[in-house]
């Protein structure tokens, strides 16, 4: 038996056409509805009470409301990890309906870049620091770097 491939509705030549997800390309206008899995990173151009589960991307358990309206960043305000007018590949639409223009597909999506980081740039081969644990110091967060220093200091005492 063959697994069925995921498909989604897109607007092509002014008509709604059902296409397989791997055939979605940048510039396609994708039609989203409740229960759909977002096939690519998209900027919403229409959003009618759209809510998305971004748990796969951010780990946040609550659904996130999305809008097609642009919100400009105020000076000094940090940039949002997931802007309100964007939906991301692999996230589920839990409510509403909308349309979006595909910005990125495949490994260029946010989830694709995360997969590349996990695999490592050398094809998934991880260097080891002490012979047993992978060396992740090149991608360590400031908190991880400070904890490493603290651990060294405590070890000397």
């Amino acid at each position: 038996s063959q697994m069925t491939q995921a498909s989604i509705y897109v607007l092509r030549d002014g008509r709604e056409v059902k296409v397989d997800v791997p055939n979605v390309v940048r510039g396609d206008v994708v039609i989203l509805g409740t229960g759909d899995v977002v096939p690519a990173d998209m900027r919403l151009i229409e959003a009618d009470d759209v809510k998305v589960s971004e748990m796969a991307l951010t780990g946040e358990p609550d659904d996130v409301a999305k809008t097609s309206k642009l919100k400009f960043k105020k000076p000094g305000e940090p940039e949002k990890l997931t802007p309100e007018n964007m939906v991301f590949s692999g996230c589920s639409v839990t409510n509403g309906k909308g349309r979006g223009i595909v910005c990125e597909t495949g490994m260029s999506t946010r989830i694709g870049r995360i997969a590349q980081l996990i695999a490592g740039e050398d094809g998934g081969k991880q260097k080891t620091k002490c012979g047993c644990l992978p060396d992740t110091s090149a991608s360590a967060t400031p908190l991880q770097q400070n904890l490493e220093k603290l651990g060294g200091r405590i070890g000397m005492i």
Side-chain angles (χ1 to χ4, degrees), residues 126-127 129 133-141 144:
Q126 291 188 333
K127 300 175 196 94
K129 192 172 189 176
L133 297 173
D135 180 11
T136 58
S137 59
S139 61
T141 66
Q144 290 169 322

Side-chain angles (χ1 to χ4, degrees), residues 30-36 42-52 64-69 84-85 87 93-100:
V30 175
I31 299 160
L32 295 172
T34 303
D36 288 340
M42 304 186 322
R43 185 169 311 280
L44 291 173
I45 54 173
E46 289 178 23
D48 183 18
D49 197 27
V50 173
K51 288 187 180 176
V52 177
V64 180
K66 296 292 181 173
T67 179
S68 59
K69 296 180 181 127
E84 291 177 11
N85 65 335
V87 290
V93 179
T94 57
N95 190 56
K97 59 184 179 177
R99 294 179 184 206

Side-chain angles (χ1 to χ4, degrees), residues 97-129:
K97 59 184 179 177
R99 294 179 184 206
I101 297 175
V102 174
C103 303
E104 299 291 345
T105 61
M107 293 304 278
S108 298
T109 62
R110 294 249 176 123
I111 203 81
R113 287 187 298 210
I114 291 170
Q116 284 175 332
L117 287 172
I118 291 170
E121 299 198 356
D122 56 357
K125 255 180 131 178
Q126 291 188 333
K127 300 175 196 94
T128 57
K129 192 172 189 176

